[in-house]
Amino acid sequence: MIKSTIHPSCIRMPSTAISANRIAKLTARERARFAAARPRSAALSARNAEHLLFGVPLHWMSDWGTPFALHVAEARGAQLTDVDGHRLVDFCLGDTGAMFGHSPAPVVAALQAQAARGLTTMLASEDASAVGELLAARFGLPRWQFAMTATDANRFLLRWLRAVTQRRVLLVFNGCYHGTVDDVFVDLVAGQPVQRPSLLGQVHDLTQTTRVVEFNDLAALEAALAPGDVACVLAEPVMTNIGMVLPEPGFWPAAAELIRRHGSLLVLDETHTISSGPGGYARAEGLAPDALVLGKPLGGGMPCAAYGFTAELAARCEAAKRAAPPGHSGIGTTLTANLLAMAAMRATLSTLMTEAVYQPMLALAGQLADGLRGAIARHGLPWCVSQVGARAEFQFCARPPRNGSEAAAAMDDALEHLLHLALLNRGVLITPFHNMMLVCPETTAADVERLVQAFDAVLAELTST
């Protein structure tokens, strides 16, 4: 399900009506409120500072709008409990890693049973056979391989596809995110490709082998493909990490035809758009990629990923490997497809990634999106709301952005930090770095109402005179 609606009343109040002064004042209040309520998180953050870089296990955890890191004691279903005893309704869900809820019972049971039989062996298991069959049935691609993360899956696929096509160039869309694959960190600035300055430690000029165009721009896509040197186009079917950017009607069928006409391959990264249904966005919309990447939610929270091929592409990959000299391929890691990961994927695919589980999630996400639209309209803000399956997002623009540049222009870091922190202080957590929310099978209508009411209350303070 893809939905984006703008209420006419959203144009009554220009965004400049929310002054930077007001945002700063409310943010200071919310930071003080957060700090006063969480002395144990504060103490743990101070302890972390002695031995952890930036005082957190992963440096980007310090980018949240909180004055110090929130520390979690327990996560179950749709709720988190922090170390200070505050219970939060979780609409972040590990940024999709826990899309089926925290510690779903079938996955927990599978992990407990497998842990007693072995964790990792670097060998195959019966679960691998079952997972391959389930993936083929769900996603329509007959051949699969595994990785620890979607980043790894994307990286491995680039190696396979450059090998089989004997082409060096990757094509991506401006503002994309495909994990920490170096090749994708190229943006358009004033129409020119520029290596993203935030990428640390890169010593190669990525613009020599990565081409970038705007999403929804078929003319630019065709021009970029015309030299005949593009191995593959790597894309999310709906852009999600710079804020949602929905494909315009007819974009993907036309784009797929252009890609094939120029001898390139299409890879769809469904790590976030798996929210669309048990076969992902591609299956729901009738797309036929050459390869597909699945990440975070595939193991119910366990680190694992998978990537699939058409039969024709799989045959080319096998031929390329057989023709290569012996030695390391640069594809695969020792812990990939470990016994625990395979057990988790089998449980997720067979019991959670089903129509029966998805349908209530999609319906509830629709209620959430409508509730957000209602609150935005009540306060006359020029914002829009989009929905992709079980995922919804509000953006600080009157109309849904049609490409990465428009999505980036709509972002407001200070306002975003305030909203996230204020919602957290009111008992709800949404995804940081943008304004996405996700519902899981354990999310209730009351949880959605709590988020909408908290959102409405914060908007009331932002827009009061």
Side-chain angles (χ1 to χ4, degrees):
M1 175 193 295
I2 298 175
K3 189 176 181 182
S4 187
T5 303
I6 309 159
H7 279 253
S9 54
C10 288
I11 61 173
R12 289 182 298 180
M13 181 179 188
S15 57
T16 52
I18 304 175
S19 70
N21 216 20
R22 187 171 194 80
I23 292 172
K25 180 179 178 180
L26 291 176
T27 299
R29 185 195 69 186
E30 295 297 333
R31 287 173 66 87
R33 180 179 175 183
F34 176 93
R38 291 173 173 83
R40 291 199 65 197
S41 272
L44 285 171
S45 292
R47 180 179 168 187
N48 290 346
E50 296 183 31
H51 299 292
L52 301 182
L53 195 66
F54 293 96
V56 284
L58 285 170
H59 73 88
W60 48 256
M61 292 179 180
S62 62
D63 293 339
W64 288 64
T66 56
F68 48 81
L70 179 71
H71 285 67
V72 175
E74 184 178 44
R76 291 185 181 275
Q79 294 192 336
L80 301 175
T81 303
D82 69 19
V83 293
D84 291 283
H86 303 289
R87 185 168 291 179
L88 306 170
V89 181
D90 187 8
F91 290 91
C92 173
L93 295 168
D95 194 18
T96 312
M99 190 177 79
F100 298 108
H102 295 289
S103 297
V107 176
V108 170
L111 291 175
Q112 289 173 334
Q114 183 57 54
R117 299 194 299 266
L119 306 179
T120 187
T121 61
M122 207 171 68
L123 294 168
S125 66
E126 182 182 341
D127 282 340
S129 299
V131 169
E133 292 162 357
L134 287 163
L135 287 168
R138 288 280 186 283
F139 299 97
L141 294 173
R143 299 287 185 271
W144 292 83
Q145 286 280 272
F146 301 99
M148 290 293 289
T149 65
T151 289
D152 281 344
N154 283 317
R155 184 181 294 117
F156 298 160
L157 264 174
L158 288 181
R159 285 193 178 277
W160 283 119
L161 302 192
R162 281 170 166 158
V164 303
T165 63
Q166 292 296 295
R167 295 179 174 188
R168 302 175 65 221
V169 178
L170 164 69
L171 196 153
V172 295
F173 291 107
N174 187 38
C176 71
Y177 182 77
H178 299 286
T180 56
V181 179
D182 288 4
D183 304 68
V184 305
F185 283 77
V186 179
D187 295 323
L188 278 178
V189 177
Q192 297 300 311
V194 175
Q195 190 161 298
R196 197 171 298 174
S198 61
L199 180 61
L200 294 174
Q202 177 55 249
V203 297
H204 303 292
D205 181 2
L206 299 177
T207 62
Q208 297 302 301
T209 53
T210 299
R211 210 161 285 156
V212 57
V213 300
E214 292 285 12
F215 198 69
N216 281 318
D217 189 338
L218 289 170
L221 176 62
E222 183 166 25
L225 292 167
D229 58 354
V230 174
C232 69
V233 174
L234 173 61
E236 290 185 290
V238 176
M239 295 184 73
T240 62
N241 210 71
I242 198 165
M244 282 192 195
V245 180
L246 306 174
E248 293 180 339
F251 171 72
W252 272 120
E257 194 278 327
L258 287 174
I259 292 164
R260 292 189 174 89
R261 185 196 309 165
H262 290 282
S264 300
L265 297 164
L266 173 61
V267 180
L268 292 182
D269 182 347
E270 293 251 29
T271 298
H272 282 156
T273 55
I274 189 62
S275 65
S276 302
Y281 180 95
R283 210 79 194 271
E285 298 296 323
L287 303 182
D290 298 290
L292 188 76
V293 170
L294 300 166
K296 303 173 186 177
L298 187 57
M302 274 292 294
C304 56
Y307 54 106
F309 309 84
T310 62
E312 188 271 340
L313 179 55
R316 293 172 68 187
C317 290
E318 290 178 354
K321 173 57 181 165
R322 292 192 181 100
H328 295 296
S329 65
I331 297 169
T333 59
T334 305
L335 292 175
T336 294
N338 65 76
L339 297 175
L340 275 182
M342 301 309 293
M345 283 189 274
R346 183 177 186 176
T348 302
L349 284 160
S350 59
T351 66
L352 299 173
M353 205 172 282
T354 67
E355 287 288 351
V357 170
Y358 267 91
Q359 287 310 312
M361 292 168 59
L362 302 185
L364 199 56
Q367 294 177 35
L368 171 58
D370 287 342
L372 295 171
R373 291 186 187 104
I376 290 167
R378 277 192 294 278
H379 299 287
L381 288 164
W383 301 353
C384 63
V385 175
S386 298
Q387 180 188 350
V388 177
R391 184 186 310 280
E393 178 171 31
F394 61 90
Q395 289 165 285
F396 306 135
C397 49
R399 291 175 175 78
R402 69 181 300 268
N403 57 46
S405 290
E406 290 184 8
M411 288 182 164
D412 184 325
D413 290 343
L415 180 56
E416 184 179 292
H417 280 178
L418 168 59
L419 287 166
H420 288 221
L421 181 57
L423 290 173
L424 195 158
N425 283 338
R426 287 156 179 78
V428 290
L429 186 73
I430 68 172
T431 308
F433 322 131
H434 35 70
N435 300 314
M436 286 201 300
M437 291 141 283
L438 188 64
V439 303
C440 74
E442 304 298 321
T443 308
T444 66
D447 294 334
V448 167
E449 184 60 24
R450 182 174 181 179
L451 171 55
V452 171
Q453 288 182 357
F455 184 65
D456 189 77
V458 176
L459 294 190
E461 291 197 70
L462 269 173
T463 57
S464 63
T465 55

